[in-house]
């Protein structure tokens, strides 16, 4: 049939879209079909009805051919002159037919004369003049990440007014890693396309997926329409919190302040919102430690809540949990190591302390035993014990353990008499920084040992005692001191038994044992004994006792208790002294020489001779010092008023120089001898001075020279010693000794001096005494020991003494 042929042609035309000319289809009389694409320009040829209907142009004119249409609008016009159908108005297939296909315009060409009616169908062919269009530019979905694969999400489908191939043919989704689009079976009438979840979403890897859905039509050229699809992935609590570390470690000092954070644990949850909110807590097993530690549930700070003590626990192990709102959790360990702080001072405990300590204790005697410990560890617990350097003690460590054992021992010999009590401060210092120390004070008292002999306050004592003293007179006091204490210093004095002139010393002196006062037992007589020694011993009451000896030199001081005694010439008490002078003895004739002695010494023995005033006293003169009696006038027996044997009487007084002076007087009777030629020669021969006296004086001078020489020698020796000990104490001491003992020197010099002035017999005892004391005291003051004085000097001195003695 015709229709079938035409449809075939249309199909073939469609296959050649560039051909825009009108295809004319020959139809049966009365009906012609044309196909024309929409949107042809006005005036485009639709068909030639002259040809197709077999009509003549003339007929058209005569028949007044025209188009009749039922539509209000005439899209196609008729060119009567040419017999062609032309596009009169813009034809929009979509406007005309919408989705109806095929879309045709139906009209009739009416001819008059005769009336002819030709039906014309103009099929409007669709051209792809529309692209697919989505209603919205963009569409958003919120899809939970927990959505399962296969979940469908519908999207309003695109719209393309074109039909057929020009309408939407397919959809495409890009990218398509999670979703695909399901193309519906009937694209024409579908309202939706479905987006299907192919692969589960993970908010944690992609929170948002942006895709583009493109709708394609089948036109040529192909047109597309797009819509943006934004998939927001909603979180599901699909992630448990995860701690950043499986184990947390911290090291804090034991004095870590309360309330401070040790460390912060942190767990992350990939989920968001409440699913990602993590709270921290200690796990059950760590509850008991909550006294010491707390955890901030929101920040994860682990906070010190109590007092840490390294000495109690060196480390703590806590288990922490992080939980999200969904109940998912993670656990982690927290190791907190406590480091030692030097917060413990060493502790000194005294195990034993022996007090007092005998001063005689040997070095290394243990006084105290101590334990020293320090609760800290490491360096903080290493303790050093010490005491002050200047003490005679030391501290000894006996074990290298943590608990140190120390002993306080004596380091050297002790002497209570120097220091009787020590304050020993034992300091224990640890090695921390800053170091801590503690101290223990020991008052170490020393107990006395009788290690000191009593010491006399002077090196020797010398006392002067006037003779004729009353028995019981205190003459001296010795004093000794003992640096020890108690019985060791309780002193008693005694006199060592010696003899004086054959009688025990106890008959001479007596000592008070308690205070050292020495009393005489008898009256002393200088003339019998001018010096003696008392050996005094002092003894303490220690066990065993200690003693010291000292010599008390007693010098008996002469008193003028003896009157001079006239020794020569001898006379009787009754007759007095009978002397004679030769007749005519010239003036100055030496009648005689009186020799008197005085048992006293010194001034008391210094005698003055004088003649007491009387009748005949003017005729004679006596030398006051020598006792030489001479005449002052020529004595004649015949000149005296007829006296045949005249006698002259006067009194010679011998007076000593004592205070008060004692004197002896003798009545002298001088008679004139009768003239005798034998005797007259005597006057001339009689020398002025006695030869005996001259000899004695010579010897005396020699002996004094010797003494002086020896003294000089001694002085030289001493001087040499002094120089050797240049600046030494020996010299100084000796000088002091000299000064404090002037009496010996004076005594020596006094004795020598007196010797020079004595006209009487030589008083060798005085020389002996003087030199002896000089010798005895001289070196003793120097060295405190007689033995230092060389033996040879002693010998020399004694030989001089012997010489002097022999001379006398
Ligand atoms: C004191 O003298 C006595 C008797 O001579 C003697 O036994 C004693 O040892 C002397 N003591 C001292 C300390 O010299």
């Amino acid at each position: 049939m015709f229709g079938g042929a035409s449809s075939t042609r249309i199909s073939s035309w469609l296959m050649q879209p560039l051909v825009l000319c009108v295809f004319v289809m020959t139809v049966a009389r009365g009906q012609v079909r044309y196909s024309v694409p929409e949107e042809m320009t006005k005036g485009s040829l639709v068909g030639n009805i002259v040809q197709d209907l077999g009509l003549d142009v003339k007929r058209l004119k005569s028949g007044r051919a025209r188009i009749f249409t039922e539509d209000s609008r005439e899209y196609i016009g008729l060119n009567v002159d040419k017999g062609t159908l032309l596009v009169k108005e813009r034809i929009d297939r979509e406007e005309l037919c919408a989705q109806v296909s095929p879309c045709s315009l139906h009209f009739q060409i009416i001819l008059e004369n005769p009336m002819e009616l030709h039906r014309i169908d103009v099929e409007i062919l669709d051209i792809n003049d529309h692209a697919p269009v989505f209603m919205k530019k963009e569409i958003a979905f919120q899809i939970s990440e927990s959505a399962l694969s296969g979940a469908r999400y519908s999207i309003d489908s695109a719209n393309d007014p074109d039909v057929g191939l020009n309408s939407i043919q397919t959809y495409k989704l890009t990218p398509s890693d999670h979703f695909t689009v399901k193309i519906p079976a009937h694209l024409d009438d579908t309202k939706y396309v479905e987006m299907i979840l192919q692969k589960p979403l993970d908010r944690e890897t992609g929170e948002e997926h942006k895709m583009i859905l493109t709708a394609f039509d089948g036109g040529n050229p192909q047109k597309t329409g797009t819509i943006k699809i934004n998939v927001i992935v909603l979180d599901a609590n699909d992630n448990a919190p995860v701690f950043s570390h499986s184990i947390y470690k911290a090291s804090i000092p034991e004095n870590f302040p309360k309330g401070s954070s040790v460390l912060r644990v942190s767990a992350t949850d990939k989920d968001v919102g409440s699913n990602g909110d993590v709270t921290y807590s200690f796990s059950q097993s760590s509850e008991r430690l909550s006294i010491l530690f707390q955890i901030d549930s929101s920040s994860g700070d682990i906070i010190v809540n109590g007092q840490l003590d390294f000495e109690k626990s060196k480390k703590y192990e806590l288990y922490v949990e992080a939980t999200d709102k969904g109940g998912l959790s993670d656990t982690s360990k927290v190791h907190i190591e406590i480091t030692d702080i030097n917060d413990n001072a060493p502790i000194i405990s005294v195990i034993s302390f022996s007090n007092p300590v005998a001063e005689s204790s040997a070095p290394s005697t243990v006084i105290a035993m101590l334990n020293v410990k320090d609760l800290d560890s490491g360096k903080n617990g290493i303790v050093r014990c010490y005491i002050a350097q200047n003490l005679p003690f030391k501290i000894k460590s006996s074990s290298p353990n943590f608990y140190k054992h120390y002993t306080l021992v004596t380091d050297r010999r002790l002497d209570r008499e120097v220091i009787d009590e020590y304050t020993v401060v034992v300091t224990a210092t640890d090695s921390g920084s800053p170091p801590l120390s503690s101290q223990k004070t020991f008052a170490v008292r020393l107990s006395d040992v009788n290690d000191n002999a009593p010491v006399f306050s002077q090196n020797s004592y010398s006392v002067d005692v006037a003779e004729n003293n009353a028995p019981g007179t205190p003459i001296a006091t010795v004093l000794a001191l003992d640096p020890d204490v108690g019985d060791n210093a309780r002193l008693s004095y005694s006199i060592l038994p010696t003899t004086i002139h054959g009688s025990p010393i106890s008959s001479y002196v007596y000592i008070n044992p308690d205070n050292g006062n020495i009393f005489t037992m008898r009256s002393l007589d200088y003339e019998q004994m001018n010096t003696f020694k008392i050996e005094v011993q002092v003894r303490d009451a220690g066990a065993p006792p200690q003693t010291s000896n000292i010599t008390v030199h007693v010098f008996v001081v002469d008193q003028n208790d003896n009157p001079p005694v006239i020794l020569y010439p001898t006379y009787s008490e009754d007759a007095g002294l009978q002397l004679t002078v030769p007749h005519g003895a010239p003036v100055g004739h030496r009648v005689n020489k009186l020799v008197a002695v005085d048992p006293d010494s010194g001034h008391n023995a210094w005698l003055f001779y004088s003649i007491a005033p009387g009748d005949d006293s003017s005729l004679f003169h006596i030398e006051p010092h020598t006792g030489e009696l001479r005449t002052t006038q020529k004595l004649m027996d015949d000149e005296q008023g007829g006296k045949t044997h005249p006698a002259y009487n006067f009194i010679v007084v011998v007076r000593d120089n004592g205070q008060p002076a004692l004197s002896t007087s003798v009545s002298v009777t001088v008679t004139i001898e009768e003239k005798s030629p034998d005797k007259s020669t005597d006057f001339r021969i009689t020398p002025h001075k006695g030869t005996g006296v001259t000899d004695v004086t010579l010897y005396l001078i020699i002996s004094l020279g010797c003494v002086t020489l020896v003294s000089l020698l001694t002085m030289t020796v001493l001087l040499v010693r002094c120089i050797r000990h240049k600046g030494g104490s020996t010299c100084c001491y000796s000088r002091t000794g000299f000064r404090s003992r002037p009496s010996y020197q004076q005594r020596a010099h006094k004795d020598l001096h007196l010797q020079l002035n004595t006209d009487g017999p030589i008083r060798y005892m005085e020389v002996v005494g003087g030199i002896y004391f000089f010798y005895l005291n001289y070196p003793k003051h120097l060295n405190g020991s007689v033995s230092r004085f060389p033996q040879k000097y002693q010998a020399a001195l004694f030989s001089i003494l012997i010489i002097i003695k022999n001379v006398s």
Side-chain angles (χ1 to χ4, degrees), residues 496 537 547-549:
L496 292 173
Q537 186 174 70
T547 62
S548 279
N549 296 345

Side-chain angles (χ1 to χ4, degrees), residues 580-587 589 591 616 619-620 630-640 646 648 670-673:
T580 57
V581 288
H583 180 82
V587 174
H589 172 77
V591 180
D616 299 328
L619 298 176
F620 297 92
R630 291 175 190 274
T631 55
T632 55
Q633 286 178 16
K634 191 170 184 177
L635 300 179
M636 297 287 208
D637 50 357
D638 53 349
E639 284 175 8
Q640 299 293 325
Y648 302 96
V670 178
T671 52
I672 296 172
E673 286 176 13

